Amino acid sequence: MEISKIISKDILNRLLNIYTSDYGEIIALHEPTFSNLEKEYVISCIETGMVSSIGKYVDEFEDIIASYTGAKYAVATVNGTTALHLALVVSNLPKGSEVIVPSLSFIASANAVIHANLVPHFVNSEPVSLGIDTDRLIEYLDRVATFQDGVLFNKISGRLISAILPTHCFGHPCLMNGILDIANNFNLTVIEDAAEALGSFFQGKHCGTLGNIGILSFNGNKVLTTGGGGILLTNDKDVFKDAKHLSTTAKKSTQFSFEHDQIGYNYRMPNLNAALGIAQYHSLEKNLKKKRKLAARLHNSFHDFAFGKIFTQMSGVNSNYWLNALVLETEFGAYRDIILKDLNSQNLMARPCWAPLHNLPMYTENPKDDLSTTEVLASNIINLPSSPALA
Ligand SMILES: *Cc1c(COP(=O)(O)O)cnc(C)c1O
């Protein structure tokens, strides 16, 4: 038998022992679960007519997420990408400056930087956290940048480097200590893309609350969904005020007038979505437990797998295991696409990792480190179905 067939068959056998769904149905990568509570809350919006941008559920949802994550302030938005854009805008970074972004992330991380008139500067990730490789970043910045008068200057592009935007990849907390050290040393604003990381903690602190600003997404495939939605988290009162104001068309809070004092955005989460989110929150702990159980089962089942391993969180963190990842040994990475085809033909919705951002046509000219290690890492990753219902 061909080696790729042997690997596919081996993976398939292990997965079918774990996933409890009826074989023959499609086993999705990540799907939400709903109870009657979701119906009740959404119907209450319809019955009261409060389906849009005004209503009690939005404020309530913000309070719930702020208190769960330990953030002082939260601003709910229409999706995670807009929360990220808003975070970059309210950070008041020098126009046209560079933001350090891991090439191994979802496209929104880079797009939001562009939307804010800034320049993504792509750096490497490492296999222990799947986040930014901080040791390598220090060496890299020593080579390409100078730090003088409180600003970091890219000697190659001639631009300032003003911020760092770490992603908690697949919900796994990244090396935040190293990132915060680098940010401290070089006076960088830290904006955490914690879109996938609701329920993930780094040394006891919720992801998205360690830097200056963090964001979460509540898209349909995330741990908790509002249909579409996102939230900005911060402990800084001024940032919060700016973000709230800009997300609600910069409307001045006078009772009867429509006065706006800035060019704002229509980014506020509608009440209907917040209602769904509040209901979803009631199953968050239960779902996180199931997801961690599923991850542990995968880990055990693949302990003697010869061709790779299931990604397992590093010590000191508590991951939500949003998406489980099977990381193939480098010599078997070449078979990834054949394996994916085999798994999907058996109704298992396994997926490749994102294409590294620096290889996408619109980002090939952006400043970047040598990203060959990121390319190898990305091409060895297979994401496995991770819905809580599978546990
Ligand atoms: C989902 C996601 C986003 C964007 O969230 P949306 O709500 O889909 O706009 C941003 N970054 C990462 C890493 C994501 O996974």
Side-chain angles (χ1 to χ4, degrees):
M1 210 169 11
E2 281 171 60
I3 180 81
S4 64
K5 293 286 161 214
I6 294 172
I7 303 175
S8 296
K9 222 169 161 211
D10 189 342
I11 296 174
L12 204 60
N13 283 336
R14 289 170 201 264
L15 292 182
L16 292 177
N17 269 328
I18 293 172
Y19 297 144
T20 52
S21 288
D22 286 341
Y23 189 39
E25 268 175 50
I26 289 182
I27 300 182
L29 188 64
H30 203 284
E31 53 186 3
T33 45
F34 298 114
S35 68
N36 281 328
L37 201 60
E38 276 83 351
K39 277 190 203 160
E40 230 176 80
Y41 273 82
V42 170
I43 287 171
S44 87
C45 293
I46 295 170
E47 284 178 348
T48 57
M50 305 301 263
V51 295
S52 197
S53 49
I54 293 180
K56 62 173 184 175
Y57 290 135
V58 191
D59 295 334
E60 196 180 322
F61 184 63
E62 286 172 336
D63 289 347
I64 286 174
I65 298 298
S67 122
Y68 177 76
T69 58
K72 274 200 186 135
Y73 308 103
V75 179
T77 57
V78 288
N79 57 48
T81 310
T82 51
L84 207 49
H85 178 221
L86 202 55
L88 288 153
V89 169
V90 298
S91 294
N92 286 320
L93 303 169
K95 201 173 171 194
S97 61
E98 295 177 3
V99 177
I100 295 169
V101 176
S103 180
L104 197 70
S105 186
F106 180 56
I107 185 81
S109 309
N111 287 352
V113 173
I114 298 284
H115 295 156
N117 293 316
L118 301 159
V119 180
H121 183 149
F122 297 115
V123 299
N124 271 295
S125 295
E126 49 74 42
V128 174
S129 72
L130 299 181
I132 290 176
D133 185 334
T134 51
D135 288 343
R136 183 164 171 155
L137 180 56
I138 292 169
E139 282 172 27
Y140 173 64
L141 289 176
D142 274 347
R143 256 185 296 125
V144 302
T146 55
F147 185 65
Q148 240 180 359
D149 303 325
V151 292
L152 189 62
F153 178 76
N154 182 339
K155 290 187 284 189
I156 297 168
S157 69
R159 286 182 288 250
L160 297 179
I161 302 175
S162 59
I164 183 165
L165 197 157
T167 297
H168 301 285
C169 186
F170 311 143
H172 306 305
C174 64
L175 301 165
M176 281 309 291
N177 282 345
I179 286 162
L180 294 173
D181 281 349
I182 292 171
N184 250 335
N185 290 340
F186 297 122
N187 202 12
L188 302 175
T189 300
V190 181
I191 297 170
E192 292 175 74
D193 184 343
E196 304 168 353
L198 180 65
S200 295
F201 295 82
F202 180 89
Q203 296 179 356
K205 289 187 180 159
H206 196 282
C207 289
T209 67
L210 291 105
N212 300 81
I213 309 180
I215 70 99
L216 305 174
S217 164
F218 307 111
N219 190 28
N221 62 351
K222 300 282 165 42
V223 174
L224 179 158
T225 187
T226 57
I231 208 160
L232 178 152
L233 304 172
T234 186
N235 292 325
D236 184 321
K237 192 169 185 177
D238 292 330
V239 162
F240 161 68
K241 279 184 169 167
D242 280 357
K244 179 94 180 264
H245 188 57
L246 280 177
S247 72
T248 49
T249 64
K251 188 173 182 285
K252 287 202 320 201
S253 52
T254 46
Q255 208 178 353
F256 297 116
S257 71
F258 292 96
E259 277 180 57
H260 306 263
D261 59 5
Q262 279 180 76
I263 302 174
Y265 305 93
N266 184 12
Y267 279 179
R268 186 131 185 94
M269 178 186 279
N271 204 44
L272 196 59
N273 300 81
L276 189 66
I278 293 171
Q280 282 269 288
Y281 179 73
H282 288 268
S283 0
L284 177 63
E285 280 306 336
K286 190 181 68 195
N287 283 338
L288 286 172
K289 235 182 231 157
K290 285 186 183 173
K291 288 179 66 60
R292 288 179 183 128
K293 194 159 131 193
L294 179 63
R297 275 196 202 149
L298 281 165
H299 179 74
N300 290 339
S301 168
F302 280 78
H303 78 279
D304 58 351
F305 180 64
F307 311 104
K309 45 181 159 327
I310 295 287
F311 178 87
T312 306
Q313 67 185 23
M314 59 184 172
S315 64
V317 307
N318 193 6
S319 174
N320 66 3
Y321 283 92
W322 173 58
L323 279 193
N324 285 288
L326 176 62
V327 188
L328 296 171
E329 297 295 342
T330 302
E331 65 262 44
F332 303 112
Y335 303 117
R336 184 193 69 174
D337 291 346
I338 307 174
I339 296 168
L340 280 168
K341 209 168 145 216
D342 288 343
L343 295 179
N344 280 277
S345 75
Q346 298 297 316
N347 289 335
L348 281 167
M349 213 193 257
R351 287 289 180 266
C353 185
W354 311 290
L357 297 173
H358 69 280
N359 286 336
L360 299 177
M362 42 310 176
Y363 288 121
T364 50
E365 302 299 313
N366 278 66
K368 56 175 182 279
D369 189 5
D370 170 1
L371 294 167
S372 41
T373 58
T374 289
E375 286 169 9
V376 171
L377 187 58
S379 62
N380 292 340
I381 291 176
I382 292 177
N383 285 123
L384 299 173
S386 301
S387 306
L390 291 172

